[in-house]
Amino acid sequence: MKKIFTAALFLLSASSLFAQNKITYKVNGLNAGDVRAMKQIEYQPQGNGGANQYWNFSGAKEVKAMSIAQAENVATQIGNIDLSSRNTLLAVDEGGEKTTYFEITNTEKRYWGLSHGAVKIEFEQPIVDMKFPMAYQDVISGSMNGSYNTGATVEPITGSYTSEADAWGTLELPDGNIYNNVLRVKLTKNYQQQSGSLTYTIQTVRYQYYAEGVRYPVLIVLENHVASDCNCTCGNYTTEQAYYLPGAQAESKQVLSGKSVADNSVRINVYPNPFRETLNASVKINNATEANVDIVDAAGRKIKDFGSYNLVEGENAVTLETADIVPGNYFIRVSVDGVNYAKGVFKK
């Protein structure tokens, strides 16, 4: 059986279906000294934003390993970054391919540029690619003027960026782990870069998927689209990459309401999903108890009440007849001792 993390069994408030996942400085601020052992996997299109999405990377094949190491930046001047600042300044080694430079405050994550060998990209003002807190439908935008420095020449960069928490939903990864209530942050940069007599028009898009209680994104997807006035493949191309954080690392850092993943008392799995007339649920519980099962919509409105069930310790099979429910996105909700747990489902 696939493992469903605590983020998939989130507490419901009285006023809404669940507490929307937010990115905060306390939980998600970058820490000096952290190392993330990620895995590159096959890319797949990201689709549109919006509520209650389902992103399935379960079948993506692994390509290679990639390590991200975050060190304090005490020597490298890039852009107008102030190395004497009391803020956290980080030089982030991304697999040895490049180093990116960030400034972390309790309200923002600021990107100042990168270095790759002798090449430096530097910005006059940082790109604010994340604010704290950041929630679904929050948007940040600004200009990104700077320079492309090869060590021999310095060429201008002009453009703009938009960072938006554009979607939330369920994410399934290749290691079999499933996260619900995942918040996706999409950073789009559109800019022109001069190189000698050529002008390059570039769009880069980075998708970061944040699971509740996990400090770093559990999935990062990168898209890079380059066009130029050069009639050649080297000046016109697209690259696409995806990286994920294995569940063992995510679980070790994941804490929700003061309880670790292992402390959670209820686990829900459903099949098939999407479903048609019959929905099968597996409810795993640590202690025998009575529970109520119903289906609610994305606004938390009750669609159908299936009544009470006497659950035994361990796995409990529940069959729900849903022929009278119209197609759409819903949540199966299990209420135990005054606490509600939910799992997203879709009816065809």
Side-chain angles (χ1 to χ4, degrees):
M1 177 181 293
K2 292 179 179 178
K3 186 174 183 183
I4 303 176
F5 280 81
T6 304
L9 303 171
F10 41 88
L11 303 182
L12 304 176
S13 69
S15 60
S16 63
L17 178 62
F18 58 86
Q20 187 71 248
N21 185 16
K22 290 185 179 181
I23 297 171
T24 66
Y25 171 73
K26 181 178 180 180
V27 174
N28 303 109
L30 302 187
N31 286 337
D34 282 359
V35 177
R36 288 174 272 161
M38 304 191 75
K39 294 184 178 180
Q40 184 178 353
I41 54 177
E42 293 174 321
Y43 166 87
Q44 66 184 42
Q46 296 305 283
N48 297 324
N52 200 25
Q53 299 295 310
Y54 188 82
W55 302 289
N56 189 352
F57 278 78
S58 61
K61 295 180 180 178
E62 294 183 5
V63 178
K64 64 178 181 180
M66 198 269 278
S67 178
I68 298 179
Q70 298 168 180
E72 291 187 36
N73 182 28
V74 295
T76 303
Q77 181 73 39
I78 195 160
N80 293 321
I81 194 169
D82 181 4
L83 294 175
S84 65
S85 169
R86 293 184 180 180
N87 298 326
T88 301
L89 305 175
L90 296 178
V92 181
D93 183 342
E94 300 188 20
E97 298 178 0
K98 63 181 179 180
T99 299
T100 49
Y101 298 90
F102 292 95
E103 179 180 7
I104 312 300
T105 76
N106 60 3
T107 60
E108 293 178 339
K109 174 187 171 190
R110 302 169 181 169
Y111 170 56
W112 279 98
L114 66 86
S115 61
H116 184 186
V119 174
K120 277 188 180 182
I121 293 178
E122 304 179 88
F123 298 114
E124 296 171 4
Q125 296 296 325
I127 294 173
V128 180
D129 71 355
M130 191 171 295
K131 66 178 183 178
F132 303 121
M134 192 163 187
Y136 176 54
Q137 296 185 326
D138 283 352
V139 178
I140 309 165
S141 60
S143 61
M144 48 173 293
N145 300 319
S147 63
Y148 181 85
N149 187 339
T150 66
T153 61
V154 179
E155 304 285 2
I157 293 174
T158 57
S160 62
Y161 71 89
T162 300
S163 179
E164 53 187 326
D166 75 322
W168 64 265
T170 299
L171 174 64
E172 189 167 354
L173 293 175
D175 56 3
N177 292 318
I178 302 172
Y179 297 90
N180 272 7
N181 202 19
V182 170
L183 182 64
R184 184 175 82 176
V185 178
K186 177 183 178 183
L187 173 65
T188 305
K189 295 181 286 186
N190 291 291
Y191 59 99
Q192 287 192 329
Q193 180 176 309
Q194 199 70 26
S195 181
S197 61
L198 296 179
T199 299
Y200 290 83
T201 300
I202 301 171
Q203 181 187 74
T204 64
V205 184
R206 184 192 66 200
Y207 299 90
Q208 296 189 102
Y209 292 77
Y210 284 87
E212 205 165 12
V214 180
R215 179 169 298 279
Y216 299 111
V218 293
L219 178 69
I220 301 173
V221 178
L222 307 172
E223 299 173 350
N224 188 37
H225 309 281
V226 178
S228 75
D229 43 17
C230 168
N231 187 23
C232 57
T233 56
C234 62
N236 299 273
Y237 61 89
T238 294
T239 60
E240 299 161 329
Q241 298 170 309
Y243 302 87
Y244 87 99
L245 186 68
Q249 284 199 63
E251 182 178 5
S252 67
K253 296 181 179 180
Q254 184 169 357
V255 176
L256 182 62
S257 300
K259 294 184 178 181
S260 69
V261 174
D263 292 331
N264 194 38
S265 60
V266 177
R267 312 254 176 168
I268 305 172
N269 196 12
V270 295
Y271 56 94
N273 190 16
F275 66 99
R276 292 188 185 276
E277 294 189 354
T278 301
L279 177 63
N280 300 299
S282 172
V283 182
K284 186 176 182 180
I285 193 164
N286 292 343
N287 300 296
T289 189
E290 184 179 4
N292 192 82
V293 179
D294 57 20
I295 284 183
V296 297
D297 64 13
R301 294 183 292 261
K302 186 182 297 185
I303 302 302
K304 186 171 183 178
D305 194 331
F306 297 98
S308 296
Y309 290 80
N310 290 316
L311 303 182
V312 300
E313 180 182 347
E315 297 280 354
N316 294 264
V318 178
T319 300
L320 307 176
E321 297 300 330
T322 62
D324 54 341
I325 297 177
V326 301
N329 293 304
Y330 300 100
F331 292 84
I332 177 174
R333 182 171 63 177
V334 178
S335 302
V336 178
D337 296 330
V339 178
N340 297 316
Y341 302 88
K343 176 79 171 82
V345 294
F346 177 76
K347 182 174 183 181
K348 294 181 179 179

